[in-house]
Amino acid sequence: MNSPSEPRRLGRYEVRAATPPDEPAIAALFDEQGFPGDIAVHFRRGPTVAESLAADGDEVVIAVCHDTDTGTLAGMGACVLRREWFNGRAATGAYLTALKRARGHRDAMVALPLAYQWLGDAVRDREPFFYTTILSGNDPALRLLTHPHAGLPPYAALGTYTVFIYGTRLAPQLPSGVSLVQGWDEPVAAFYRRQLPRFACAPYDARLAGLHDDDYYSLRTGGTVVAAGAVWDQRATKQYVVTNYARPYRLARRMPLTAFGYPRLPEEGVPADYVTLAAVVVAPTHLALGATFLRTLATRRPDADFALYGLTAGHPLAHQAARPRHVTYSSRLFSVGFPGNPTPDGRPFMVEVGLL
């Protein structure tokens, strides 16, 4: 039997592990694909795609598909492994991402089952939970992957994942008796130890890579932590570049949106100045503080264009997250049915937008 990491071939296409010489072609593949819409956006990873993906977890496996006739990159995919809570215990999450086909390589679709097989075999010994997200507007991917196809693992819908884009200017007033404390300390750590097992795919210890102690904030009543979260600057590894605004948004950019609590619309052609709200948890006894806490976190960086926060429809903060003024986009969350993929036990998902 072949080693999971050995190259596999189907006709003219070869699937194998990415190597450093592949990076220029991988970067070009990211550059050629954007998100169309009223606000057209390019999502870029840097300083290299491999380094950016590695920052999202404990380990990353990247597969590339090459056209051996031309020597060109035909497509790619990746699996990010990270320690997470799942069904009340520490487990390994396997997030499938960066599945892309290069323009002009439509025939490479025949090798897609081979790519899935390679990725699944490469990480199956960790016994992970495989999952992924697909943008709601990505109709070709949804049509392909959410219907049965020979050789592809089945996708099972887990719900809608909404990303809220908040303004960063108007800080709310905290209720009487509630204080905001900056920094990581033992009460924050103990709060996360109690709360994170309630969720599926939550980070195991909330100490995400790239976050520092002073990036964390907590709300406290009488010295007791009732909410915690972090403000994460990810611009070094993930960049959002607006490439075009439809006419209504061009007009909106002339309005004082931030004065009304809305996010600032970034300049075209340059990476947006943004932050991500991470590891946000509010105690079940204090869910009414959710909207205030999210607004408070977003306004820790008032110079930023916007703050991102994402959650699934079944998350306890779903209604609170919709209260501040915002712009949204959505994806669909799926489990990916590789053999032996475990079944979620019904806990709400806590998938970090900063790790997608």
Side-chain angles (χ1 to χ4, degrees), residues 98-162:
L99 183 63
K100 297 178 181 293
R101 174 178 58 84
R103 291 175 183 168
H105 283 276
R106 187 172 181 81
D107 290 346
M109 295 300 290
V110 300
L112 187 60
L114 189 66
Y116 269 91
Q117 182 187 71
W118 190 95
L119 282 170
D121 288 348
V123 303
R124 192 169 293 138
D125 62 335
R126 282 77 153 183
E127 300 182 345
F129 172 64
F130 289 93
Y131 66 105
T132 193
T133 54
I134 303 175
L135 278 170
S136 296
N138 191 349
D139 293 334
L142 289 169
R143 284 194 298 269
L144 173 66
L145 298 173
T146 61
H147 295 87
H149 287 278
L152 297 184
Y155 277 47
L158 298 173
T160 299
Y161 186 86
T162 301

Side-chain angles (χ1 to χ4, degrees), residues 167-194:
T168 61
R169 292 292 184 89
L170 299 182
Q173 185 172 359
L174 295 178
S176 176
V178 178
S179 60
L180 178 71
V181 177
Q182 183 177 7
W184 180 278
D185 59 12
E186 177 52 31
V188 169
F191 175 79
Y192 279 125
R193 286 196 295 268
R194 291 192 303 271

